[in-house]
Amino acid sequence: MNPIDAFDRVLASLHQAALDDVRWPATAALIDEACGAAGNGLMVGEGSGDDERVLFGQFLYRGESRPDLVREYAEVYYPDDEAPRRLRELPAGRLFPTSHLYTDEQLKTSPAYNEAWRRYRGQNGFGARLDGPDGLRIVWCVADPVAARGWRSEQVRLIESLLPHIRQFVRVRQALVGADALSAGLAGLLDNGRIGVLHLDRGGRVVSANAAALDVLRRGEGLSDRGGALRAARPADDGRLRTLLKRALPGFGEQPPTGGSMTIRRPSPGPRLELHVSPVDAARADFGGRRVAALVLVVDPASRPRVDPVRVSAALGLTPSEGRVSALLAEGRPVREIAAAAGYRQSYVRWLLKQVYRKQGLPGQVALVRRVLRILDAYAPPRP
C-alpha cells in the first residue's frame, strides 16, 4: 500500500471510529495493515505512584481484541513493568522502540519484557505517551513488524505521523463517554442533551446544532455563529479556532482533513469551554453540495449534570461515601476533583470506586457512569 494512500485511509477510518466505537477494531486492523504491524494497543491512565490507576486497556491483533492478555498483563506484569514508568519520564508525543524503555540490565531481567512482550509480540514494537485532558495519560503501543526483515523507514514514519491523530481519536471518544453518547452516530448526537453538538459544512457554516450548543451560542459564552459561521469572541481564540477549522475543512487540493481540540475563554469568569473538532466522512463525494463535513463537540464544564448522591446510594445499595464518589464521577469529574470535593485522598476515592465496581459487577468507570446516568433518566420528570 502506498504510504500516502495508507495514511489517508487510516485517517478517514479514525474519523469514523471516533463517532462509532464499533468501528475501532476495523480501524486498528487497518493501522496494522498499513504499518506492517502484528497489532496495536491503547491504555489510558491517571495519577502517579501509589495513586496511579489504569482506566482503560485494549490489545488488538489485526482487529481481534484480546481481553485475556489485557487481564494477564494488568494482574501479573503491569505492577512491576518498568516501561510505563520510563514513558512517563520521556517527552510526550514521541515514538520510542520498546527496547529503549528498559535499561540494559532490565532487558535481561524484566519479566514484562522477556515474558509478556515476547508472547504479546511486542519486544520489537514501539510505544508513545500522548497526554490527554484532566491529567490523563494515553499510551499507544505498536506490536512487532510482521516482516522478518524488520521495520522499514517509511513504516516508522507512518506510525509517527499517526500519533496526534490517535490522541485526538481518544479525546473525542472521552468526550462522548462523558455525554453517554457512545455509538450515537452523527444524527443521533443531535438528540443528546449532555453535550453541545454542531454540524458544519465544508465552508465552516453551521448546518445544524442541538439544544445544548444553541444555548451556548445564545448566551454568548465565548462562541457565536455570526453570519452562519462558528466564531470565538476573543481574537486569540478566534485565530486558533479558524486554524483548527481550516485543518478539519481543507480546501481544494490541500492536505487531508484532521481533527483537533482547544479551549475557549468566556467573557465572564468560569471554566473554559472545551471544543473537539472531528472531520466527517472525508472520502465521500458531495459534488459541491452542502453536507455535514465536520462535527464540533462543545463541552461546558459549568453545565455538568448535578447528580444526587443520596439517590444514587439508595438506587444502587451503596454506602454514603460510595454514593458520593459515584455521583461526582457521573458528573464528569476526574479523580483528583472528586477527592477535592469530597475531602478524601485520591487513593481512598479509587478504593471506594473499586468497591462500587465489585458490588455492581461492573468493569470500570464507563459502565458505572452509564448506570448512574440511567438512574437520572429514570427519575427525571416527564418532558412537556
Side-chain angles (χ1 to χ4, degrees):
M1 189 187 303
N2 180 285
I4 296 178
D5 292 340
F7 178 77
D8 291 350
R9 285 181 58 191
V10 170
L11 213 55
S13 189
L14 272 172
H15 297 157
Q16 295 173 347
L19 303 181
D20 186 353
D21 50 310
V22 174
R23 294 177 178 266
W24 170 240
T27 300
L30 183 59
I31 291 172
D32 293 341
E33 178 188 357
C35 299
N40 65 89
L42 273 172
M43 295 183 70
V44 181
E46 64 177 356
S48 60
D50 294 337
D51 285 333
E52 185 175 21
R53 174 175 169 79
V54 176
L55 307 175
F56 171 84
Q58 188 176 49
F59 297 159
L60 295 109
Y61 295 84
R62 293 298 169 116
E64 179 186 357
S65 180
R66 293 295 305 271
D68 55 322
L69 298 186
V70 173
R71 285 194 298 270
E72 180 187 66
Y73 175 71
E75 295 172 2
V76 179
Y77 297 105
Y78 178 77
D80 298 313
D81 190 1
E82 301 88 350
R85 289 186 286 277
R86 176 62 175 147
L87 265 179
R88 288 198 296 272
E89 300 168 355
L90 293 170
R94 296 256 316 265
L95 193 68
F96 297 95
T98 304
S99 59
H100 289 194
L101 303 178
Y102 300 87
T103 65
D104 290 342
E105 181 62 25
Q106 290 167 351
L107 289 174
K108 302 174 184 176
T109 62
S110 170
Y113 181 77
N114 290 286
E115 296 174 13
W117 297 126
R118 183 177 68 249
R119 289 196 295 106
Y120 302 167
R121 301 177 69 182
Q123 283 186 325
N124 298 314
F126 295 97
R129 189 186 91 244
L130 310 168
D131 288 342
D134 295 323
L136 294 179
R137 285 189 306 278
I138 304 162
V139 175
W140 185 46
C141 301
V142 178
D144 295 346
V146 294
R149 61 181 177 274
W151 293 107
R152 301 195 307 272
S153 58
E154 62 267 25
Q155 291 174 322
V156 177
R157 286 195 295 270
L158 177 57
I159 295 171
E160 289 177 329
S161 67
L162 288 175
L163 293 180
H165 306 290
I166 294 291
R167 179 182 63 184
Q168 182 63 17
F169 160 77
V170 175
R171 295 188 71 169
V172 171
R173 299 305 303 153
Q174 288 171 339
L176 294 176
V177 167
D180 194 29
L182 288 174
S183 299
L186 187 63
L189 282 174
L190 290 173
D191 296 327
N192 191 288
R194 297 192 177 104
I195 191 171
V197 178
L198 298 121
H199 293 169
L200 307 183
D201 67 11
R202 289 192 305 159
R205 294 169 295 179
V206 178
V207 176
S208 53
N210 70 349
L214 289 173
D215 186 50
V216 171
L217 296 175
R218 278 196 301 264
R219 287 187 280 118
E221 291 291 323
L223 277 178
S224 69
D225 57 346
R226 297 194 307 270
L230 192 62
R231 301 292 298 270
R234 295 177 178 269
D237 288 344
D238 194 53
R240 292 171 59 208
L241 177 59
R242 286 172 174 269
T243 299
L244 195 60
L245 293 179
K246 181 175 175 56
R247 291 173 180 168
L249 301 163
F252 177 71
E254 295 181 357
Q255 294 294 318
T258 60
S261 300
M262 64 176 291
T263 58
I264 298 286
R265 292 180 63 186
R266 303 170 188 264
S268 56
R272 297 187 179 198
L273 297 173
E274 300 171 13
L275 256 65
H276 304 282
V277 180
S278 182
V280 174
D281 202 8
R284 177 181 163 195
D286 59 12
F287 299 95
R290 194 179 185 206
R291 68 171 177 86
V292 178
L295 170 73
V296 179
L297 303 177
V298 184
V299 181
D300 184 358
S303 62
R304 286 169 171 159
R306 292 297 177 258
V307 182
D308 183 354
V310 175
R311 181 175 293 171
V312 172
S313 298
L316 298 182
L318 305 178
T319 68
S321 295
E322 293 167 349
R324 189 175 188 187
V325 298
S326 299
L328 291 169
L329 182 72
E331 290 180 4
R333 300 176 186 269
V335 167
R336 68 172 181 273
E337 282 190 23
I338 296 174
Y344 300 150
R345 291 176 58 86
Q346 291 186 31
S347 56
Y348 183 54
V349 171
R350 291 192 177 89
W351 182 83
L352 287 171
L353 289 174
K354 286 181 181 179
Q355 294 297 105
V356 177
Y357 304 150
R358 181 182 59 79
K359 286 183 178 181
Q360 298 295 311
L362 299 173
Q365 288 189 359
V366 173
L368 176 57
V369 169
R370 283 178 169 174
R371 183 160 296 182
V372 172
L373 292 178
R374 279 200 296 270
I375 293 171
L376 284 182
D377 292 339
Y379 280 89
R383 294 180 180 179

